[in-house]
Amino acid sequence: LPILSERGKAELARYSSDAVSRGAIPGVVTLVLNRNGILFENASGRRDVANGQELYIDAIFRIASMTKPITSVAMMMLIEEGKAKLDDPVAKYLPDFDNRPVIDTFNKANASYTTRPAKRPITIRHLLAHTAGLGYAFSDPTVLQIINATQKTEPELPLLHDPGDKWTYSAATRVVGFVVEKISGQTIDVFLRERIFEPLKMVDTNHAVATDKVSRVITVHTRKDGKLSETPNDPKQESPVRGDGGLYSTARDYARFLRMLLNGGTLDGVKILSPQSVALMGQNHLGNLFVETQPNALPERTRPFPIGAGKDKFGLGFQIQAADPALAKFRSPGSLSWAGINNTHFWVDPKRQVAAIVLMQVLPFYDEDAIKVLRDIEEVVYRNLR
């Protein structure tokens, strides 16, 4: 199994500290692991800048869309139990998705549109691979305009394209959460807690932070015109319960989830998924399509994303790194990854049997400085793996 050299650990700690000192980011928690445990963990910077609070490794982060791979695992658990199939139409469980139309023409002047019937029904596979045709207001201008005009939510809108025709990042995993709720008879937060968090001993992961833990939640900073501004934390920390976001977690908790994946679905004798299901999640489910650059409909929330657009594939809940000789110093081809809007990032490299978590709380998503920190850390990790 890979280990990280002592020189590498020192270099990572020094790099993180320097990134904070030069003002690139207010704070970062980095954790590198193999399937047996943690190889390196470090916290640099401040948890709360205004109040001079130091950042520690047990800091609680809003991991946002890093919720999606967990909800995707929940769906795969039910599929493995024979309670659903990957190619089941979503309408079998959620009648609202029966005959969901596709936008045919769209008028930017007043957000009016015409629709046509979809060529095929949305399946669970389409949802997990983000090919359902749904979108997100923060990254898709059409969705943003319609939501502003109608006050509807993303899962209620007509489709941007036919299911299976294109990769569009979306609220599809929220719909996966609805399917999990329908099949299990439990709300998604209860299902995740009882079936994933408690068995994996992810003690700090939830849609709401217990009162005695709120002091560990890191603040969010927003960069505008090159300057960072801090939003003070509310005394109460809770998010809407959804399958596509809203979780709070720590680097150590998420490391247990990633170790389960590196171990083929089992951790410390607790089985979450079979090795076959874990492998299936990491395969290409886009066929000849690719992950595409998502625009920034709300520039204060996001820059265009993700890295790897035009080359990478998508599995069931994870982006899959394409083979690219130009990226030899980074994660291996076949590596799985995703991220959260406040620049929380992870990747799992099955080939090198290593995974890493890099947590920040900086908006917009894909902020240039935050992405540079992520990629620099990744480069140091791979240069020092033994």
Side-chain angles (χ1 to χ4, degrees):
L1 281 178
I3 59 161
L4 203 55
S5 69
E6 291 307 312
R7 198 180 78 185
K9 291 176 189 176
E11 193 179 341
L12 279 173
R14 190 168 61 245
Y15 176 83
S16 302
S17 173
D18 288 350
V20 171
S21 299
R22 69 171 185 268
I25 45 166
V28 57
V29 169
T30 305
L31 192 152
V32 184
L33 60 136
N34 64 20
R35 65 170 187 262
N36 285 352
I38 294 169
L39 301 177
F40 170 83
E41 57 180 3
N42 175 263
S44 293
R46 293 269 186 259
R47 180 179 55 71
D48 181 328
V49 175
N51 292 306
Q53 300 290 320
E54 200 174 333
L55 183 64
Y56 294 110
I57 202 77
D58 70 346
I60 295 171
F61 287 76
R62 300 157 192 82
I63 63 166
S65 288
M66 276 170 57
T67 303
K68 288 181 172 73
I70 299 176
T71 301
S72 302
V73 163
M75 188 69 241
M76 294 305 289
M77 292 166 81
L78 295 173
I79 288 172
E80 209 171 87
E81 289 165 13
K83 291 176 180 165
K85 293 191 175 75
L86 211 42
D87 291 311
D88 278 349
V90 175
K92 179 178 173 182
Y93 307 97
L94 306 170
D96 282 359
F97 284 87
D98 198 21
N99 299 318
R100 182 64 62 96
V102 177
I103 295 172
D104 195 27
T105 62
F106 180 70
N107 183 342
K108 284 183 182 171
N110 61 5
S112 64
Y113 55 85
T114 61
T115 63
R116 60 168 175 81
K119 290 178 186 167
R120 58 193 75 88
I122 303 172
T123 65
I124 291 172
R125 189 192 303 265
H126 291 143
L127 293 176
L128 290 168
H130 290 281
T131 56
L134 294 165
Y136 260 138
F138 81 92
S139 57
D140 190 283
T142 303
V143 174
L144 179 64
Q145 267 198 273
I146 296 173
I147 283 180
N148 285 341
T150 64
Q151 302 305 305
K152 287 185 172 178
T153 65
E154 286 108 339
E156 296 171 321
L157 300 189
L159 305 179
L160 294 167
H161 53 77
D162 284 298
D165 276 11
K166 191 180 173 189
W167 186 87
T168 306
Y169 187 51
S170 74
T173 320
R174 196 181 317 170
V175 183
V176 173
F178 299 154
V179 176
V180 170
E181 290 180 332
K182 181 75 182 211
I183 294 170
S184 68
Q186 294 180 297
T187 55
I188 188 68
D189 57 328
V190 173
F191 185 95
L192 296 180
R193 186 173 72 238
E194 292 184 1
R195 300 289 306 274
I196 297 177
F197 304 150
E198 285 173 0
L200 290 179
K201 298 187 169 64
M202 293 169 68
V203 294
D204 290 322
T205 306
N206 210 323
H207 280 87
V209 181
T211 313
D212 61 343
K213 295 181 179 181
V214 167
S215 63
R216 288 164 49 198
V217 178
I218 182 172
T219 58
V220 177
H221 282 74
T222 304
R223 197 183 318 267
K224 195 174 177 189
D225 304 326
K227 288 194 177 66
L228 284 167
S229 62
E230 185 173 32
T231 305
N233 278 346
D234 289 328
K236 202 171 177 185
Q237 289 291 324
E238 58 182 315
S239 311
V241 172
R242 318 193 322 208
D244 62 337
L247 281 178
Y248 292 83
S249 190
T250 63
R252 284 176 181 164
D253 265 16
Y254 212 84
R256 292 192 65 77
F257 178 70
L258 299 187
R259 276 181 63 205
M260 175 273 291
L261 294 172
L262 277 176
N263 280 287
T266 300
L267 183 63
D268 299 340
V270 173
K271 183 187 166 200
I272 301 294
L273 280 179
S274 69
Q276 292 81 357
S277 291
V278 173
L280 184 65
M281 294 185 84
Q283 287 166 14
N284 167 27
H285 289 265
L286 296 189
N288 297 325
L289 304 174
F290 296 96
V291 165
E292 295 185 31
T293 299
Q294 303 301 289
N296 52 338
L298 289 170
E300 66 276 16
R301 301 282 294 161
T302 190
R303 298 272 178 270
F305 66 94
I307 296 171
K311 293 181 182 152
D312 287 3
K313 298 295 188 179
F314 213 84
L316 304 173
F318 302 94
Q319 186 173 344
I320 303 166
Q321 175 70 42
D324 185 345
L327 299 176
K329 62 189 178 181
F330 296 115
R331 63 193 80 162
S332 314
S335 293
L336 317 181
S337 65
W338 202 239
I341 198 164
N342 303 301
N343 283 297
T344 57
H345 300 266
F346 77 88
W347 76 88
V348 180
D349 186 337
K351 188 177 171 193
R352 297 292 296 273
Q353 284 292 296
V354 70
I357 301 161
V358 180
L359 304 179
M360 297 165 274
Q361 294 282 270
V362 174
L363 285 167
F365 186 46
Y366 265 66
D367 167 73
E368 291 81 354
D369 284 309
I371 292 297
K372 184 177 182 342
V373 168
L374 168 71
R375 294 303 256 181
D376 288 351
I377 284 173
E378 185 175 349
E379 202 180 326
V380 175
V381 167
Y382 281 95
R383 199 165 60 236
N384 291 283
L385 276 185
R386 301 287 176 264

